[in-house]
Amino acid sequence: MRPVIIESPYAGDIEMNVAYARAAMWDCLERGEAPYASHLLFTQVGVLDDSDAAQRARGIEAGLIWGRNAAATVVYTDRGISTGMQQGIDRATAEGRPIEYRSLPDFVLPHDQMKGELAAIGQSVMNWIDELTQQGGPLKDWTPAESPAEVIPDLYNMLEESFACHRQACGETKVLAAELEARNELIFPRELTDDLRDVLSMMMWNTGPIAHALRAGGADIPTKAELEQAHVLHWLTLLVLEHGSAWREKGEEKLKEIRATLTAASTEGDA
Protein backbone atom coordinates (compact mmCIF):
# COMPACT_ATOMS: atom_id res chain seq x y z
CA MET A 1 0.00 0.00 0.00
CA ARG A 2 1.24 3.47 -0.84
CA PRO A 3 1.46 5.75 2.24
CA VAL A 4 -0.17 9.16 1.69
CA ILE A 5 -0.83 12.18 3.89
CA ILE A 6 -4.30 13.69 3.61
CA GLU A 7 -4.93 17.43 3.44
CA SER A 8 -8.54 18.50 4.07
CA PRO A 9 -10.18 21.23 6.20
CA TYR A 10 -10.78 20.92 9.93
CA ALA A 11 -11.42 24.36 11.48
CA GLY A 12 -14.79 26.04 10.90
CA ASP A 13 -17.65 23.59 10.50
CA ILE A 14 -15.83 20.87 12.44
CA GLU A 15 -18.59 18.27 12.35
CA MET A 16 -18.93 18.46 8.59
CA ASN A 17 -15.18 18.68 8.01
CA VAL A 18 -14.56 15.59 10.13
CA ALA A 19 -17.17 13.71 8.11
CA TYR A 20 -15.46 14.87 4.90
CA ALA A 21 -12.00 13.83 6.17
CA ARG A 22 -13.31 10.38 7.02
CA ALA A 23 -14.76 10.09 3.52
CA ALA A 24 -11.34 11.10 2.15
CA MET A 25 -9.67 8.34 4.19
CA TRP A 26 -12.15 5.82 2.81
CA ASP A 27 -11.40 7.04 -0.71
CA CYS A 28 -7.67 6.50 -0.13
CA LEU A 29 -8.22 3.00 1.21
CA GLU A 30 -10.37 2.19 -1.83
CA ARG A 31 -7.42 3.28 -3.96
CA GLY A 32 -5.14 0.79 -2.15
CA GLU A 33 -3.37 3.50 -0.13
CA ALA A 34 -2.46 3.80 3.55
CA PRO A 35 -3.79 7.27 4.49
CA TYR A 36 -2.72 9.44 7.42
CA ALA A 37 -4.85 12.37 8.61
CA SER A 38 -3.29 14.12 11.59
CA HIS A 39 -6.28 16.47 11.97
CA LEU A 40 -8.44 13.45 12.85
CA LEU A 41 -5.88 12.13 15.33
CA PHE A 42 -4.48 15.08 17.25
CA THR A 43 -7.82 16.91 17.61
CA GLN A 44 -9.36 14.13 19.68
CA VAL A 45 -10.48 15.01 23.21
CA GLY A 46 -7.53 14.81 25.58
CA VAL A 47 -4.87 15.31 22.90
CA LEU A 48 -4.67 18.84 21.44
CA ASP A 49 -7.08 21.78 21.46
CA ASP A 50 -7.44 23.03 17.88
CA SER A 51 -8.94 26.31 19.10
CA ASP A 52 -5.60 27.10 20.83
CA ALA A 53 -3.20 28.59 18.24
CA ALA A 54 -0.07 27.14 19.84
CA GLN A 55 -1.54 23.65 20.15
CA ARG A 56 -2.93 23.84 16.63
CA ALA A 57 0.52 24.76 15.26
CA ARG A 58 2.10 21.89 17.20
CA GLY A 59 -0.41 19.42 15.73
CA ILE A 60 0.14 20.65 12.17
CA GLU A 61 3.91 20.36 12.54
CA ALA A 62 3.63 16.86 14.03
CA GLY A 63 1.52 15.79 11.07
CA LEU A 64 3.95 17.27 8.57
CA ILE A 65 6.86 15.43 10.21
CA TRP A 66 5.03 12.17 9.53
CA GLY A 67 4.44 13.43 5.99
CA ARG A 68 8.14 13.01 5.22
CA ASN A 69 7.51 9.28 5.06
CA ALA A 70 4.55 9.64 2.66
CA ALA A 71 4.78 8.82 -1.02
CA ALA A 72 2.45 11.73 -1.80
CA THR A 73 0.34 14.50 -0.32
CA VAL A 74 -3.29 14.12 -1.41
CA VAL A 75 -5.38 17.28 -1.23
CA TYR A 76 -9.19 16.96 -1.10
CA THR A 77 -10.59 20.23 -2.41
CA ASP A 78 -14.42 20.04 -2.25
CA ARG A 79 -14.57 22.14 0.91
CA GLY A 80 -11.86 24.59 -0.05
CA ILE A 81 -8.19 25.04 0.86
CA SER A 82 -7.66 26.08 4.49
CA THR A 83 -4.58 27.77 5.96
CA GLY A 84 -3.45 24.47 7.50
CA MET A 85 -3.89 22.67 4.19
CA GLN A 86 -1.82 25.31 2.43
CA GLN A 87 0.97 24.77 4.94
CA GLY A 88 0.91 21.07 4.06
CA ILE A 89 0.98 21.85 0.35
CA ASP A 90 3.93 24.24 0.79
CA ARG A 91 5.83 21.69 2.90
CA ALA A 92 5.27 18.97 0.32
CA THR A 93 6.58 21.31 -2.41
CA ALA A 94 9.64 22.19 -0.34
CA GLU A 95 10.39 18.53 0.39
CA GLY A 96 9.82 17.46 -3.22
CA ARG A 97 6.85 15.27 -2.38
CA PRO A 98 4.26 14.71 -5.14
CA ILE A 99 0.96 16.57 -4.65
CA GLU A 100 -2.33 15.15 -5.94
CA TYR A 101 -5.58 17.12 -5.95
CA ARG A 102 -8.74 15.10 -5.53
CA SER A 103 -12.48 15.57 -5.32
CA LEU A 104 -15.33 13.53 -3.86
CA PRO A 105 -18.25 14.41 -6.17
CA ASP A 106 -20.54 11.82 -4.58
CA PHE A 107 -19.89 12.96 -1.02
CA VAL A 108 -23.09 13.94 0.78
CA LEU A 109 -22.81 15.80 4.05
CA PRO A 110 -24.51 13.83 6.86
CA HIS A 111 -27.03 16.54 7.67
CA ASP A 112 -27.91 16.97 3.98
CA GLN A 113 -28.38 13.22 3.60
CA MET A 114 -30.51 13.08 6.74
CA LYS A 115 -32.51 16.08 5.58
CA GLY A 116 -33.16 14.38 2.26
CA GLU A 117 -34.24 11.17 3.96
CA LEU A 118 -36.49 13.07 6.35
CA ALA A 119 -37.99 14.95 3.43
CA ALA A 120 -38.85 11.68 1.66
CA ILE A 121 -40.31 10.17 4.81
CA GLY A 122 -42.06 13.43 5.59
CA GLN A 123 -43.73 13.50 2.19
CA SER A 124 -45.12 10.00 2.76
CA VAL A 125 -46.31 11.01 6.21
CA MET A 126 -47.93 14.15 4.78
CA ASN A 127 -49.90 12.01 2.34
CA TRP A 128 -50.95 9.77 5.21
CA ILE A 129 -51.88 12.79 7.32
CA ASP A 130 -54.03 14.20 4.51
CA GLU A 131 -56.16 11.08 4.78
CA LEU A 132 -56.28 10.94 8.57
CA THR A 133 -57.13 14.61 9.06
CA GLN A 134 -60.37 13.92 7.24
CA GLN A 135 -61.26 11.42 9.96
CA GLY A 136 -61.63 11.64 13.73
CA GLY A 137 -58.89 11.21 16.32
CA PRO A 138 -55.94 13.36 17.43
CA LEU A 139 -54.98 14.25 13.82
CA LYS A 140 -58.38 15.73 13.01
CA ASP A 141 -58.05 19.42 12.08
CA TRP A 142 -54.25 19.32 12.73
CA THR A 143 -52.16 21.40 10.32
CA PRO A 144 -48.60 19.98 9.94
CA ALA A 145 -45.45 21.94 9.11
CA GLU A 146 -45.16 23.01 5.49
CA SER A 147 -41.71 21.52 4.99
CA PRO A 148 -41.71 17.71 4.57
CA ALA A 149 -38.39 17.54 6.46
CA GLU A 150 -40.07 19.12 9.51
CA VAL A 151 -43.18 16.93 9.48
CA ILE A 152 -41.67 14.10 11.55
CA PRO A 153 -40.61 16.24 14.56
CA ASP A 154 -43.81 18.27 14.22
CA LEU A 155 -45.91 15.09 14.27
CA TYR A 156 -43.93 13.80 17.25
CA ASN A 157 -44.60 16.98 19.21
CA MET A 158 -48.30 16.91 18.33
CA LEU A 159 -48.66 13.27 19.43
CA GLU A 160 -46.75 13.99 22.63
CA GLU A 161 -49.25 16.74 23.46
CA SER A 162 -52.14 14.45 22.53
CA PHE A 163 -50.81 11.63 24.68
CA ALA A 164 -50.22 14.03 27.57
CA CYS A 165 -53.86 15.12 27.38
CA HIS A 166 -54.91 11.48 27.12
CA ARG A 167 -52.84 10.52 30.16
CA GLN A 168 -54.32 13.43 32.09
CA ALA A 169 -57.84 12.43 31.08
CA CYS A 170 -57.16 8.80 32.05
CA GLY A 171 -55.82 9.96 35.38
CA GLU A 172 -58.91 12.04 36.03
CA THR A 173 -61.14 9.12 35.02
CA LYS A 174 -59.33 6.78 37.40
CA VAL A 175 -59.66 9.29 40.23
CA LEU A 176 -63.38 9.67 39.51
CA ALA A 177 -63.86 5.90 39.36
CA ALA A 178 -62.04 5.50 42.67
CA GLU A 179 -64.21 8.18 44.26
CA LEU A 180 -67.39 6.55 42.95
CA GLU A 181 -66.24 3.16 44.14
CA ALA A 182 -65.48 4.58 47.58
CA ARG A 183 -68.96 6.07 47.67
CA ASN A 184 -70.43 2.79 46.37
CA GLU A 185 -71.97 4.55 43.38
CA LEU A 186 -72.35 3.45 39.77
CA ILE A 187 -72.07 5.57 36.65
CA PHE A 188 -75.36 5.76 34.76
CA PRO A 189 -74.73 6.03 31.01
CA ARG A 190 -75.92 9.09 29.12
CA GLU A 191 -77.09 6.97 26.21
CA LEU A 192 -79.77 4.31 26.44
CA THR A 193 -78.17 0.91 25.92
CA ASP A 194 -79.97 -2.18 24.66
CA ASP A 195 -79.79 -3.79 28.09
CA LEU A 196 -81.24 -0.74 29.85
CA ARG A 197 -83.95 -0.51 27.20
CA ASP A 198 -84.94 -4.12 27.90
CA VAL A 199 -85.16 -3.41 31.61
CA LEU A 200 -86.87 -0.04 31.56
CA SER A 201 -89.50 -1.18 29.05
CA MET A 202 -90.82 -3.92 31.35
CA MET A 203 -94.52 -3.69 32.09
CA MET A 204 -96.18 -4.33 35.43
CA TRP A 205 -97.15 -7.86 34.45
CA ASN A 206 -93.47 -8.56 33.86
CA THR A 207 -92.25 -7.02 37.09
CA GLY A 208 -95.05 -8.31 39.35
CA PRO A 209 -93.84 -11.93 39.65
CA ILE A 210 -90.28 -10.75 40.23
CA ALA A 211 -91.44 -8.38 42.95
CA HIS A 212 -93.34 -11.19 44.67
CA ALA A 213 -90.21 -13.39 44.62
CA LEU A 214 -88.03 -10.61 45.99
CA ARG A 215 -90.57 -9.85 48.69
CA ALA A 216 -90.65 -13.52 49.66
CA GLY A 217 -86.88 -13.33 49.91
CA GLY A 218 -87.06 -10.51 52.43
CA ALA A 219 -87.18 -7.35 50.29
CA ASP A 220 -89.33 -4.55 51.68
CA ILE A 221 -91.65 -3.94 48.74
CA PRO A 222 -95.09 -2.33 49.23
CA THR A 223 -98.00 -4.33 47.76
CA LYS A 224 -98.87 -1.78 45.14
CA ALA A 225 -98.34 -2.53 41.46
CA GLU A 226 -96.53 0.67 40.47
CA LEU A 227 -94.27 0.49 43.54
CA GLU A 228 -93.49 -3.13 42.82
CA GLN A 229 -92.57 -2.13 39.27
CA ALA A 230 -90.34 0.70 40.50
CA HIS A 231 -88.50 -1.59 42.92
CA VAL A 232 -87.91 -4.29 40.31
CA LEU A 233 -86.77 -1.79 37.66
CA HIS A 234 -84.32 -0.27 40.13
CA TRP A 235 -82.99 -3.70 41.07
CA LEU A 236 -82.59 -4.80 37.47
CA THR A 237 -80.98 -1.47 36.47
CA LEU A 238 -78.33 -1.98 39.15
CA LEU A 239 -77.65 -5.44 37.72
CA VAL A 240 -77.14 -3.91 34.27
CA LEU A 241 -74.76 -1.27 35.60
CA GLU A 242 -72.76 -3.82 37.58
CA HIS A 243 -72.75 -6.78 35.15
CA GLY A 244 -73.59 -5.37 31.72
CA SER A 245 -75.10 -7.89 29.30
CA ALA A 246 -74.87 -10.61 31.97
CA TRP A 247 -77.63 -8.94 34.03
CA ARG A 248 -80.23 -11.58 33.14
CA GLU A 249 -78.02 -14.43 34.32
CA LYS A 250 -77.19 -12.60 37.56
CA GLY A 251 -80.86 -11.84 38.15
CA GLU A 252 -81.87 -15.45 37.54
CA GLU A 253 -79.17 -16.63 39.94
CA LYS A 254 -80.53 -14.35 42.66
CA LEU A 255 -84.12 -15.48 42.11
CA LYS A 256 -83.02 -19.15 42.11
CA GLU A 257 -81.25 -18.58 45.44
CA ILE A 258 -84.42 -17.09 46.89
CA ARG A 259 -86.56 -19.97 45.61
CA ALA A 260 -84.08 -22.55 46.93
CA THR A 261 -84.06 -20.90 50.33
CA LEU A 262 -87.86 -20.83 50.45
CA THR A 263 -88.07 -24.48 49.33
CA ALA A 264 -85.57 -25.53 52.00
CA ALA A 265 -87.48 -23.63 54.68
CA SER A 266 -90.74 -25.19 53.55
CA THR A 267 -89.24 -28.67 53.66
CA GLU A 268 -87.93 -28.14 57.19
CA GLY A 269 -91.36 -26.86 58.29
CA ASP A 270 -93.09 -29.95 56.93
CA ALA A 271 -90.63 -32.17 58.73
Side-chain angles (χ1 to χ4, degrees):
M1 299 177 77
R2 185 175 71 138
V4 296
I5 182 170
I6 291 178
E7 293 294 346
S8 69
Y10 180 81
D13 191 342
I14 294 177
E15 181 181 359
M16 295 303 105
N17 287 339
V18 166
Y20 182 74
R22 288 171 176 168
M25 291 192 73
W26 174 255
D27 181 64
C28 290
L29 290 168
E30 285 291 284
R31 295 168 183 262
E33 298 170 339
Y36 178 75
S38 62
H39 49 309
L40 293 184
L41 174 63
F42 298 138
T43 55
Q44 296 181 83
V45 176
V47 186
L48 294 176
D49 181 1
D50 193 69
S51 63
D52 182 290
Q55 293 189 43
R56 173 179 168 79
R58 189 184 308 166
I60 291 175
E61 182 60 26
L64 293 177
I65 294 296
W66 277 101
R68 294 174 181 172
N69 300 310
T73 291
V74 291
V75 184
Y76 286 82
T77 61
D78 299 284
R79 296 184 60 77
I81 305 293
S82 67
T83 302
M85 291 172 65
Q86 189 59 54
Q87 286 183 249
I89 294 171
D90 294 342
R91 181 68 66 87
T93 300
E95 295 176 352
R97 186 166 49 255
I99 301 172
E100 299 175 13
Y101 291 90
R102 298 176 179 176
S103 177
L104 300 175
D106 297 329
F107 174 72
V108 179
L109 298 180
H111 75 288
D112 289 339
Q113 182 176 11
M114 182 176 294
K115 187 174 181 180
E117 293 173 354
L118 281 176
I121 297 173
Q123 188 60 58
S124 298
V125 173
M126 288 181 77
N127 296 336
W128 172 65
I129 288 172
D130 286 340
E131 298 179 8
L132 292 184
T133 49
Q134 306 302 319
Q135 307 173 16
L139 293 181
K140 188 177 185 299
D141 300 326
W142 174 60
T143 303
E146 294 183 1
S147 170
E150 298 176 1
V151 168
I152 301 300
D154 194 25
L155 177 61
Y156 175 83
N157 293 333
M158 184 281 296
L159 291 177
E160 273 292 300
E161 293 177 3
S162 178
F163 290 151
C165 293
H166 176 69
R167 287 191 291 268
Q168 181 179 358
C170 287
E172 293 173 353
T173 301
K174 290 180 180 179
V175 170
L176 177 60
E179 291 178 352
L180 292 174
E181 183 177 358
R183 288 155 50 184
N184 196 28
E185 295 183 6
L186 299 173
I187 300 176
F188 197 89
R190 293 182 178 275
E191 296 183 3
L192 184 63
T193 65
D194 292 339
D195 293 312
L196 283 176
R197 183 182 294 108
D198 291 343
V199 168
L200 298 177
S201 61
M202 284 187 176
M203 306 302 288
M204 290 183 184
W205 54 80
N206 300 124
T207 59
I210 299 176
H212 297 162
L214 293 175
R215 185 185 296 114
D220 184 14
I221 306 175
T223 55
K224 194 172 183 180
E226 59 268 28
L227 296 181
E228 289 179 343
Q229 183 187 40
H231 187 97
V232 171
L233 294 182
H234 178 255
W235 178 65
L236 294 176
T237 298
L238 291 177
L239 290 179
V240 171
L241 297 180
E242 290 179 355
H243 305 290
S245 59
W247 67 273
R248 287 186 178 85
E249 291 80 1
K250 296 297 180 180
E252 284 294 333
E253 289 176 8
K254 180 61 178 177
L255 294 177
K256 286 180 181 180
E257 290 177 7
I258 293 174
R259 295 190 189 101
T261 301
L262 293 175
T263 300
S266 176
T267 302
E268 291 178 1
D270 293 340

